[in-house]
Amino acid sequence: MNRTKLGVLAFVAMAACAPFVSHAEKTVPLVVPDEASIPTGPIGDAVRRGKQLLTDTHKQLPKNVGNGLNCTNCHLSGGTTAYASPWVGLSGAFPEYRSRSGKLISLQERVNDCFQRSMNGKPLAFDSAEMNAIMAYMKWLSTGVPVGTNVTGRGFEKIDTALVPNREHGKAVYAAQCASCHGADGQGMKNPQGGYVFPPVWGKDSFNIGAGMARMYTAAAFVKHNMPLGQGGTLSAQDALDVSAYFTAQPRPDYAARANDWPKGDKPKDAR
């Protein structure tokens, strides 16, 4: 038997014996590693570069970002905040099945999904220095998290999808709770460097129609736990849904490839 066949058989045998822990079976606490634990040398340099790319994305990757956002506008505090889609533990969670894609995808594919949708831009090459730096940062954030487990607070807080939105009330909630940071017309608040202190939530510089945040219930889950900034949890679930129904319906860039989403036919009711 040749080496190739032996290698395949060995892989199959290991796969059959290896324990698989589904996300539903085990959850571990979200623990952010101390920055003092970032190693020296090329790996440490990559970790720091990855964090820079994800926190200053609009400036650092102008060819890949088509709007005014940074990744950390949604993945708060460098991707370390529970229920703000943290990156802690992701290295051991992928490959993962995504119903929107209808297939198993890699972490690199998931990152590029955000570049194309949330950033309304272009994907990074899988073997690029930038993608490797992002992977290094996420791997470092995942230090100590067992492969195949979820951390507490992964993704967004769940919200009752049976709630019925009231867009007019949402407009009033936006004016009272959101406009002071995100602007009366959703345009955000710019800084002197040309970026944003607070990101736009609609218009040409915001996420496109194919982004998860353009979905009403997804946006409501984020808003409920995290907004207004520093006052997360002060809005009721109904208020969060109403304001999300208002701002997700506003004009934003299109995303033609969304026509291929949910190929298995399980499209959520709030998908655009």
Side-chain angles (χ1 to χ4, degrees), residues 11 13 25 28 74-75 77 84 101 124 154 160 165 199 221 234 245 253-254 269:
F11 176 80
E25 290 176 348
V28 298
C74 294
H75 305 269
S77 302
S101 304
L124 294 168
R154 184 183 172 190
D160 185 1
T234 58
D254 196 5
K269 63 181 180 180

Side-chain angles (χ1 to χ4, degrees), residues 4-270:
T4 300
K5 288 183 178 179
L6 283 171
V8 171
L9 288 174
F11 176 80
V12 171
M14 287 188 293
C17 296
F20 176 76
V21 181
S22 74
H23 291 157
E25 290 176 348
K26 187 174 182 181
T27 302
V28 298
L30 189 159
V31 178
V32 180
D34 190 326
E35 290 210 1
S37 70
I38 297 176
T40 58
I43 295 296
D45 292 342
V47 170
R48 294 182 181 87
R49 176 60 174 156
K51 182 177 182 180
Q52 181 186 37
L53 292 170
L54 293 167
T55 56
D56 192 23
T57 325
H58 174 256
K59 180 180 178 181
Q60 298 294 323
L61 294 169
K63 294 181 179 179
N64 299 92
V65 177
N67 55 27
L69 303 184
N70 297 316
C71 297
T72 48
N73 288 140
C74 294
H75 305 269
L76 302 179
S77 302
T80 65
T81 299
Y83 302 111
S85 203
W87 297 315
V88 178
L90 287 193
S91 289
F94 283 81
E96 181 178 71
Y97 180 81
R98 298 281 295 177
S99 59
R100 186 169 66 182
S101 304
K103 64 179 183 178
L104 203 68
I105 67 169
S106 66
L107 184 52
Q108 290 93 331
E109 288 177 288
R110 185 69 187 94
V111 168
N112 275 340
D113 215 24
C114 283
F115 270 102
Q116 293 174 280
R117 296 167 185 266
S118 299
M119 315 304 286
N120 194 37
K122 298 178 180 179
L124 294 168
F126 276 24
D127 61 350
S128 65
E130 292 80 10
M131 179 64 85
N132 282 334
I134 289 171
M135 292 296 104
Y137 178 62
M138 292 184 178
K139 183 176 180 180
W140 172 76
L141 279 181
S142 303
T143 301
V145 180
V147 171
T149 61
N150 265 340
V151 298
T152 302
R154 184 183 172 190
F156 297 146
E157 185 180 28
K158 302 300 181 186
I159 199 160
D160 185 1
T161 56
L163 291 173
V164 178
N166 181 331
R167 195 169 292 164
E168 281 303 308
H169 178 244
K171 183 178 181 179
V173 174
Y174 183 87
Q177 300 287 344
C178 314
S180 60
C181 292
H182 296 288
D185 298 314
Q187 74 274 20
M189 183 184 296
K190 287 195 171 184
N191 61 31
Q193 292 73 42
Y196 285 91
V197 179
F198 298 108
V201 290
W202 70 79
K204 66 180 181 64
D205 275 352
S206 189
F207 48 88
N208 69 38
I209 203 170
M213 201 64 78
R215 290 174 49 193
M216 177 176 62
Y217 288 101
T218 300
F222 175 82
V223 169
K224 172 68 173 64
H225 191 81
N226 299 292
M227 295 290 127
L229 192 64
Q231 303 174 52
T234 58
L235 293 178
S236 68
Q238 187 66 59
D239 284 347
L241 178 62
D242 292 349
V243 74
S244 298
Y246 171 69
F247 76 75
T248 58
Q250 302 306 314
R252 63 186 66 260
D254 196 5
Y255 182 63
R258 67 188 167 88
N260 301 319
D261 290 347
W262 291 286
K264 307 294 186 183
D266 49 354
K267 182 177 179 180
K269 63 181 180 180
D270 64 340

